[in-house]
Amino acid sequence: MSDSTPSVTLLTRDGCGLCAVALEQLRPICADFGIEVAIVDVDEAAATDPALRAEYGDRLPVVLLNGREHSYFDVDEARLRADLSR
């Protein structure tokens, strides 16, 4: 891994069942790499970043790795672990 710590963000919204499942999948993966999952509710963020909800709001949950889309709907565990290992 590089000197900089990677960031994993889950884009979600209140009441999203798939989002809850994705978070439960992400927590142990990220824990293995010593990082916390950041959670961003796109509806709450819309007040300051409406583009976020416009871009991702219809296909949640979305996993961002270092601010870039990594996967959506499902957590691609094997790919995420491989990318976090780099």
Side-chain angles (χ1 to χ4, degrees):
M1 206 164 6
S2 67
D3 292 338
S4 63
T5 302
S7 67
V8 175
T9 304
L10 178 64
L11 301 181
T12 185
R13 74 167 28 107
D14 190 39
C16 171
L18 286 176
C19 299
V21 170
L23 180 58
E24 291 309 307
Q25 292 172 321
L26 284 172
R27 282 189 169 137
I29 297 167
C30 290
D32 287 347
F33 290 89
I35 57 178
E36 292 284 324
V37 179
I39 302 165
V40 175
D41 183 309
V42 296
D43 296 323
E44 291 177 10
T48 56
D49 189 358
L52 193 67
R53 183 170 62 186
E55 175 74 19
Y56 299 110
D58 62 343
R59 54 189 178 104
L60 295 172
V62 175
V63 177
L64 303 179
L65 176 59
N66 298 327
R68 298 182 69 184
E69 184 177 328
H70 190 270
S71 61
Y72 65 97
F73 294 138
D74 295 311
V75 175
D76 187 340
E77 180 174 352
R79 186 170 153 240
L80 182 57
R81 285 185 180 279
D83 290 343
L84 287 170
S85 294
R86 294 179 191 190

